[in-house]
Amino acid sequence: MADIPAPHRGAESWEQFLDELATDVATLRSAATDETMLLELPVAPWLPPDDLGEIPQELATRAADLLSDMQDLAPLLEQRREATVKQLRAVDSVPRDTGQTSIYLDSIG
């Protein structure tokens, strides 16, 4: 028997998708100002769902608002990325111990 695709749920699927997207945007906004939270974000690439179909007209404004929020957030995330790159460059510039020098630890003072 051939696989029959599930019926498209339209607005319900779009509402769920926009709810999840709004949660992700709120999380990113919080993480952009909280380094601990920023480091705990997943690193997997985001992929848009491919089975939503055309957005229902009644959700177009909400989707546009979310897009605007993401566009506003992008420069802040870019600043955080640039700051992280600078920190990593600074760490990389510190000479590494090659094991050829003695290292002493002052455990008294």
Side-chain angles (χ1 to χ4, degrees):
M1 179 185 285
D3 290 333
I4 300 172
H8 184 66
R9 296 183 306 180
E12 181 183 327
S13 294
W14 269 102
E15 285 178 8
Q16 180 181 1
F17 171 70
L18 293 176
D19 288 345
E20 291 169 4
L21 195 56
T23 299
D24 290 347
V25 169
T27 300
L28 282 173
R29 186 169 302 284
S30 296
T33 59
D34 179 346
E35 190 159 325
T36 302
M37 191 176 176
L38 189 63
L39 294 172
E40 293 175 356
L41 289 174
V43 293
W46 182 84
L47 297 172
D50 59 358
D51 61 347
L52 287 178
E54 192 171 318
I55 188 166
Q57 185 62 37
E58 65 271 15
L59 296 176
T61 300
R62 182 175 178 209
D65 290 344
L66 271 171
L67 176 60
S68 178
D69 288 348
M70 288 186 287
Q71 289 170 332
D72 291 344
L73 184 57
L76 179 59
L77 292 173
E78 180 62 22
Q79 290 171 355
R80 291 304 309 250
R81 188 192 71 76
E82 288 175 9
T84 301
V85 167
K86 285 180 184 178
Q87 290 175 0
L88 289 173
R89 285 185 184 141
V91 169
D92 285 343
S93 71
V94 175
R96 304 282 192 280
D97 179 28
T98 61
Q100 296 179 1
T101 58
S102 298
I103 298 177
Y104 296 94
L105 176 63
D106 181 3
S107 62
I108 299 173

